[in-house]
């Protein structure tokens, strides 16, 4: 019986994968490098911040991940990320902490490009991207407000702007358009 070559499996998995520590990519596979438009060598040793549209979004996402990783040891969401050519795209991200007491310490992360199902069709501000990602998760304005430390009225204002940008008449229509469902 042949030994299983886990490194080969990791490098050639059909989904983007990386091993990170303190939000720095320690190793990644070919699929992740291709998805973001870099080489594996360019990503190795690099902070996740180059994969985010803005530094602020990188920081806020890290702040959002910590309590969830502390509670569950894993994290998952869909968010807008940035390729090397500056193109923005929706990405499903899942992570697992290897040390329960270190949520951003050593971890395994997967990235799935969902832009074919959900293209980025409107110019959004960083805050609108953050709120759009939380709306897609099914969160209410009050929950979003608590989670990102805004007033519910401010979240509603951003939701209204999103509805205009996506030409949505209702909140459910907005969510459908955000996830790429044709009504």
């Amino acid at each position: 019986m042949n030994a299983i070559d886990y490194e080969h499996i990791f490098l050639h998995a059909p989904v983007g994968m990386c091993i990170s520590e303190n939000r720095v990519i320690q190793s990644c596979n070919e699929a992740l490098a291709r998805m973001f438009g870099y080489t594996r060598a360019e990503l190795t040793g690099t902070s996740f911040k180059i994969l985010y549209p803005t530094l602020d979004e990188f920081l806020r996402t890290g702040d959002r991940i910590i309590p969830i990783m502390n509670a569950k040891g894993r994290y998952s969401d869909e968010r807008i990320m940035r390729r090397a050519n500056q193109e923005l795209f929706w990405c499903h991200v899942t992570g697992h902490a290897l040390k329960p007491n270190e949520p951003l310490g050593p971890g395994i992360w997967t990235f799935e490009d969902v832009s074919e199902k959900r293209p980025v069709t409107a110019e959004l501000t960083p805050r609108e991207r953050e709120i759009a990602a939380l709306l897609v998760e099914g969160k209410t304005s009050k929950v979003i407000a608590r989670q990102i430390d805004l007033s519910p009225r401010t979240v509603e204002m951003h939701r209204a702007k999103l509805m205009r940008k996506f030409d949505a008449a209702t909140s459910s229509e907005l969510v459908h358009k955000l996830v790429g469902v044709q009504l």
Side-chain angles (χ1 to χ4, degrees):
M1 177 135 190
N2 293 336
I4 296 173
D5 185 349
Y6 292 102
E7 183 176 0
H8 184 78
I9 292 167
F10 170 77
L11 290 174
H12 300 286
V15 64
M17 297 175 70
C18 74
I19 299 165
S20 70
E21 186 160 3
N22 298 318
R23 302 185 82 195
V24 173
I25 298 167
Q26 303 300 311
S27 181
C28 70
N29 69 358
E30 297 292 339
L32 184 76
R34 253 190 329 274
M35 181 186 314
F36 284 95
Y38 293 98
T39 65
R40 288 185 57 237
E42 289 172 316
L43 289 175
T44 301
T46 303
S47 169
F48 280 137
K49 70 182 168 191
I50 68 164
L51 307 179
Y52 283 81
T54 66
L55 177 61
D56 190 47
E57 289 169 275
F58 166 74
L59 296 172
R60 282 200 312 258
T61 300
D63 291 342
R64 191 169 62 239
I65 288 170
I66 291 171
I68 296 169
M69 284 287 246
N70 278 332
K72 298 180 180 178
R74 59 185 161 69
Y75 180 84
S76 180
D77 73 12
E78 290 193 359
R79 66 179 81 130
I80 294 176
M81 303 292 287
R82 183 183 72 200
R83 301 185 205 279
N85 67 6
Q86 306 306 307
E87 176 190 357
L88 300 180
F89 70 104
W90 279 97
C91 191
H92 179 81
V93 181
T94 303
H96 174 73
L98 295 176
K99 294 183 178 178
N101 59 340
E102 294 182 42
L104 297 180
I108 301 169
W109 292 88
T110 62
F111 297 77
E112 181 185 3
D113 181 344
V114 294
S115 59
E116 279 189 32
K117 294 184 282 189
R118 182 188 306 175
V120 177
T121 57
E123 288 293 319
L124 304 179
T125 67
R127 186 61 88 177
E128 288 168 344
R129 286 192 290 267
E130 181 178 30
I131 290 171
L134 294 169
L135 288 170
V136 165
E137 291 178 16
K139 295 188 174 164
T140 65
S141 292
K142 285 183 182 181
V143 170
I144 293 169
R146 273 195 307 273
Q147 187 170 335
I148 62 176
D149 201 28
L150 291 176
S151 74
R153 185 164 172 80
T154 301
V155 173
E156 285 296 329
M157 178 192 73
H158 286 294
R159 182 195 296 253
K161 286 181 185 176
L162 286 166
M163 289 175 70
R164 281 194 301 278
K165 287 182 177 184
F166 284 90
D167 194 29
T170 65
S171 292
S172 65
E173 184 180 357
L174 172 63
V175 171
H176 280 94
K177 288 185 175 192
L178 287 170
V179 297
V181 174
Q182 299 298 321
L183 298 177

